[in-house]
Amino acid sequence: LGKPVFSCRAQTNLETTERKALFFSTSDELVRLVMNTGEREVAELGSKMKEIASRRYTWDVIAQKYFKAFCAL
């Protein structure tokens, strides 16, 4: 079971979560999101975040990206 992500609305965060997180720009927006997100949505978002993390953020994937970035120099 994964955990949902509540994220500051920044381009990097939009990209790394594949726009499947819940985004806020102000503290009031964050409070609203936390207060109004039901258990079912939390579970669904958690599942999506776990799938993204499992696919994009393994040591093998990260190591390959570093290798490509530094070997391309």
Side-chain angles (χ1 to χ4, degrees):
L1 200 41
K3 301 294 183 198
V5 172
F6 293 81
S7 177
C8 175
R9 186 182 314 277
Q11 189 60 39
T12 301
N13 297 343
L14 292 166
E15 291 173 15
T16 58
T17 63
E18 299 178 3
R19 299 179 184 269
K20 294 192 171 78
L22 294 174
F23 298 98
F24 62 90
S25 296
T26 66
S27 58
D28 288 338
E29 286 180 7
L30 174 58
V31 169
R32 264 192 304 279
L33 283 173
V34 170
M35 298 300 291
N36 296 318
T37 304
E39 289 182 38
R40 177 185 237 165
E41 189 175 7
V42 164
E44 290 173 4
L45 291 169
S47 178
K48 289 177 185 176
M49 291 296 104
K50 184 175 181 179
E51 186 278 323
I52 290 169
S54 296
R55 179 171 32 84
R56 292 182 67 157
Y57 301 105
T58 66
W59 283 114
D60 287 339
V61 171
I62 292 168
Q64 287 175 11
K65 288 184 180 188
Y66 272 108
F67 183 78
K68 287 179 184 176
F70 289 113
C71 289
L73 298 176

